[in-house]
Amino acid sequence: MVSLKIRGSEVVPGSRPLVMGILNVTADSFYDGGRYQGVDAALARAEQMYEEGVDIIDVGGESTRPGAEPVDEAEEMRRVLPTVEALVKRFDVPVSVDTYKGRVAEEALFAGASIVNDVSALRFDERMGDVVARHGAVVVLMHMKGTPRTMQHNPVYDDVVAEVEKFLRERVDAASAFGIPSDHIMLDPGIGFGKRLHHNLALLRGIPRLKRLGFPLLVGPSRKSFIGEILDLPASERLEGTLAAVSVSVFLGADVVRVHDVREACRACRVAAALREDAPC
Ligand code: HH2
């Protein structure tokens, strides 16, 4: 796997679990929407995440929660680019851009981002694969069934882990065809994207099988509704449930966890990694 320069040192995903901090510069994200609009608020949040030990900062300008309204390219760039530029200047952690739009990704890469987190796995915009390849960026290929608008309309699978595994294998082939080297690819089962509670649970249990695809695995359970369904609690009350999911994911082999709560997740990851034994903490 390509190494990432984190706090001045080269870190290879998989050598220790990495914590990707979520920074949504949106009005409507399901948990942090409306909190970090504007560069100053985003930088202040990033500063806090940095002090808490974040390894990657993931900037998103469009909510992909179920039923979310799409945002146009110009508006997404207006939200994301000044923040990416400011983060790159200020912090020595890799910045990732959470977008499925090729133009937004390209401008964010010009602004200094080094990772493209594409929840569509290069499917929603035909320009995306070429953009990632030309810039030598790392790409996150995530599984989603349907689109954010439709994905929670009664998703059905015969065997969710097998289906996600097959999808991810096909998307790796597509990425390779664009010229993206295999050491620039991370995979993600897409927790909550076209999945019911038991599908999400099966995918978390299925981490060892997905790891056999041979790529670093990113998992994003943070405060998602499957936790709310188990605990019958709103997003604001899902920290402990998130930490349980993060810990189990890391124990089973996840290389990167995408979270809102950086300090707590860093601590959980260190303990889970120590229990896993194969990763130093
Ligand atoms: N989840 C969300 C957004 N982007 N990217 C990856 N790779 N994996 C995920 O699980 C994932 C993701 C949804 O969470 P959030 O960003 O908190 O909410 P919203 O989409 O409402 O902005």
Side-chain angles (χ1 to χ4, degrees), residues 140-151:
V140 179
L141 302 174
M142 195 197 81
H143 176 270
M144 181 189 329
K145 198 178 181 85
T147 64
R149 230 174 233 257
T150 63
M151 64 192 181

Side-chain angles (χ1 to χ4, degrees), residues 22 24 26 28-30 32 62-65 98 117 119 140 142 188 190-191 193 218 220 224 258 260:
I22 301 169
N24 284 320
T26 59
D28 58 342
S29 288
F30 81 94
D32 61 352
E62 174 177 341
S63 172
T64 46
R65 74 180 197 290
D98 185 349
N117 175 20
V119 297
V140 179
M142 195 197 81
D188 182 341
I191 298 301
F193 285 84
L218 185 153
K224 285 190 176 161
R258 181 180 179 279
H260 301 94

